[in-house]
Amino acid sequence: AQSVAQPEDQVNVAEGNPLTVKCTYSVSGNPYLFWYVQYPNRGLQFLLKYITGDNLVKGSYGFEAEFNKSQTSFHLKKPSALVSDSALYFCAVISERSGGYNKLIFGAGTRLAVHP
Amino acid sequence: DGGITQSPKYLFRKEGQNVTLSCEQNLNHDAMYWYRQDPGQGLRLIYYSQIVNDFQKGDIAEGYSVSREKKESFPLTVTSAQKNPTAFYLCASSATGGAVDGYTFGSGTRLTVV
């Protein structure tokens, strides 16, 4: 069965410091991986995705994520956090074997709090 | 601009009432989804539809109903059978398969029982 784990309910980081939000996954076959961000009372916004190719993926707002196949991880990173990065972050996965249709599997979400 | 529109943004329901949440997309996406989000929590899938006139139950379908008469529209009705409907409701859509492009989300509807 496909699954996504975000082991931290909350991540706290000081402004200007690097941040990491962790995500591990389990799928049959190769994964397609996504990160979304949700600000209060808003829908989810797409940040970045890994489909194939370079393991380091760059996305919106200076975020990047590294795909690690051996560790089945797709951690979200940013070199220097901003207070405005404070939000709820979701990792999601789908297997390339899904074929014509399948549903994204979402993690439980990690709340990022960046302190001035 | 292409996107998903959810309305209303805020909705209040009295006990025993049915209410309908609107979701419209102009992305020409085949698949549409409804999620429920409780405060500080993740997403739980209520219903999804792959094509017009077809839909499937998700993980928490009890007390909810949907229709998919048009490709652009996927309204969600919260019935009186849903005992705890206060939550944030998110609609999403994807191109066929959803595998490569992921989902596009609406801005959500916050439903409160009064």
Side-chain angles (χ1 to χ4, degrees), chain B residues 9-45:
Chain B
K9 189 171 179 65
Y10 298 95
L11 186 58
F12 298 90
R13 192 194 93 168
K14 294 181 180 179
E15 295 280 353
Q17 265 187 345
N18 291 356
V19 290
T20 297
L21 284 59
S22 171
C23 179
E24 304 277 334
Q25 55 100 357
N26 60 3
L27 299 165
N28 200 34
H29 283 171
D30 290 304
M32 297 186 74
Y33 315 80
W34 274 106
Y35 288 90
R36 171 180 171 141
Q37 185 178 30
D38 291 287
Q41 302 299 311
L43 307 176
R44 292 189 289 170
L45 183 64

Side-chain angles (χ1 to χ4, degrees), chain A residues 30-83:
Chain A
N30 291 324
Y32 296 154
L33 292 151
F34 302 82
W35 275 103
Y36 290 85
V37 60
Q38 184 182 31
Y39 297 100
N41 295 311
R42 303 292 297 173
L44 276 65
Q45 298 176 27
F46 171 81
L47 272 180
L48 51 79
K49 66 181 178 183
Y50 171 81
I51 303 300
T52 187
D54 193 345
N55 288 345
L56 185 64
V57 178
K58 294 189 183 294
S60 306
Y61 313 120
F63 284 93
E64 58 188 28
E66 186 167 13
F67 171 63
N68 188 316
K69 188 171 184 177
S70 62
Q71 297 185 5
T72 62
S73 68
F74 190 55
H75 301 332
L76 182 70
K77 300 180 180 183
K78 188 174 183 181
S80 179
L82 299 171
V83 172

Side-chain angles (χ1 to χ4, degrees), chain A residues 32 34 36 38 40-46 49 51 88 90 94-96 98-109 111, chain B residues 9-10 31 33 35 37 40-43 45 48-50 88 90 94 96-108 110:
Chain A
Y32 296 154
F34 302 82
Y36 290 85
Q38 184 182 31
N41 295 311
R42 303 292 297 173
L44 276 65
Q45 298 176 27
F46 171 81
K49 66 181 178 183
I51 303 300
L88 189 57
F90 290 95
I94 191 168
S95 169
E96 68 162 353
S98 297
Y101 173 79
N102 210 328
K103 302 184 299 295
L104 276 179
I105 305 300
F106 287 89
R111 186 163 302 282
Chain B
K9 189 171 179 65
Y10 298 95
Y33 315 80
Y35 288 90
Q37 185 178 30
Q41 302 299 311
L43 307 176
L45 183 64
Y48 63 99
S49 168
Q50 299 172 245
F88 191 51
L90 287 164
S94 69
T96 302
V100 174
D101 294 325
Y103 293 1
T104 300
F105 283 85
S107 296
R110 184 165 299 282

